[in-house]
């Protein structure tokens, strides 16, 4: 089995997707499962993990619906507000979607010490109760706090 572990799907929205710079103009279009299915078959790729590109629960639900309709989407890494004081309730809600394997937050746009903030760490700790992973997304200058962050969660799947 060959899995593409990081695929983004979206219906392009110029406002929401304003992060796509002029140098990445080719990305300013829709990317949906139908665009990949033939390419995957040609290259013997049996599945993929759909990863959030927008930090919203709407995006997470969009990806779960795509997975329901496309069996080659084997997992979803979504977004949930890990700083939410009701994070356990949110994770319980999302546990109804077994295709969700983990979560990520685009830390690249956050202050360097974001990963070490108390509320964020509380959210990461809550992931273990549902056997979720956390995908760390940082820039190189955030590496030092990321290493400290990882050391705080030795049993967490990161």
């Amino acid at each position: 089995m060959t899995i593409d572990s990081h695929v983004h799907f979206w219906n392009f929205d110029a406002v929401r997707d304003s992060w796509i710079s002029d140098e990445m103009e080719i990305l300013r279009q829709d990317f949906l499962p139908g665009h990949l299915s033939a390419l995957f078959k040609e290259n013997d790729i049996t599945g993929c993990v759909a990863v959030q590109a927008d930090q919203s629960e709407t995006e997470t639900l969009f990806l779960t619906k795509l997975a329901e309709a496309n069996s080659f989407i084997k997992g979803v890494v979504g977004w949930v507000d890990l700083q939410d004081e009701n994070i356990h309730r949110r994770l319980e809600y999302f546990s109804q979607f077994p295709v969700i394997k983990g979560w990520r937050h685009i830390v690249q746009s956050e202050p360097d010490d974001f990963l070490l903030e108390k509320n964020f760490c509380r959210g990461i700790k809550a992931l273990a109760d549902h056997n979720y992973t956390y995908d760390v997304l940082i820039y190189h200058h955030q590496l030092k706090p990321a290493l400290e962050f990882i050391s705080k969660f030795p049993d967490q799947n990161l």
Side-chain angles (χ1 to χ4, degrees):
M1 184 182 286
T2 303
I3 301 290
D4 184 331
S5 64
H6 192 112
V7 174
H8 295 293
F9 295 112
W10 62 67
N11 289 307
F12 179 72
D13 178 295
V15 173
R16 181 198 63 211
D17 302 323
S18 62
W19 60 271
I20 301 174
S21 66
D22 290 341
E23 297 83 33
M24 300 185 293
E25 186 174 339
I26 194 168
L27 298 178
R28 292 182 178 164
Q29 60 182 311
D30 295 349
F31 283 95
L32 297 167
H35 297 111
L36 281 183
S37 56
L39 185 62
F40 277 8
K41 283 181 185 174
E42 272 177 42
N43 293 285
D44 294 322
I45 298 172
T46 50
C48 70
V49 176
V51 179
Q52 62 83 227
D54 180 54
Q55 296 198 137
S56 71
E57 288 188 7
T58 301
E59 167 94 344
T60 301
L61 294 171
F62 168 72
L63 295 175
T64 62
K65 286 180 180 160
L66 290 180
E68 287 173 12
N70 299 275
S71 62
F72 68 87
I73 300 175
K74 306 296 185 188
V76 167
V77 173
W79 183 90
V80 66
D81 184 357
L82 292 164
Q83 299 177 88
D84 188 326
E85 64 183 38
N86 295 309
I87 187 61
H88 288 287
R89 192 177 82 226
R90 298 312 304 143
L91 294 175
E92 186 62 35
Y93 167 77
F94 281 110
S95 69
Q96 71 180 296
F97 305 103
V99 72
I100 297 176
K101 307 302 180 189
W103 306 96
R104 82 171 188 164
H105 183 95
I106 301 173
V107 177
Q108 293 168 323
S109 62
E110 301 288 356
D112 287 355
D113 63 348
F114 175 82
L115 288 169
L116 303 173
E117 290 182 7
K118 182 177 123 187
N119 288 339
F120 187 76
C121 288
R122 179 177 38 80
I124 295 298
K125 194 172 192 175
L127 298 180
D129 293 340
H130 298 279
N131 200 31
Y132 286 132
T133 63
Y134 177 71
D135 286 21
V136 178
L137 178 60
I138 59 169
Y139 285 125
H140 63 87
H141 66 272
Q142 296 168 311
L143 190 54
K144 185 175 180 185
L147 292 172
E148 186 178 342
F149 166 75
I150 289 168
S151 73
K152 289 177 165 269
F153 300 97
D155 298 323
Q156 174 63 43
N157 292 321
L158 298 170

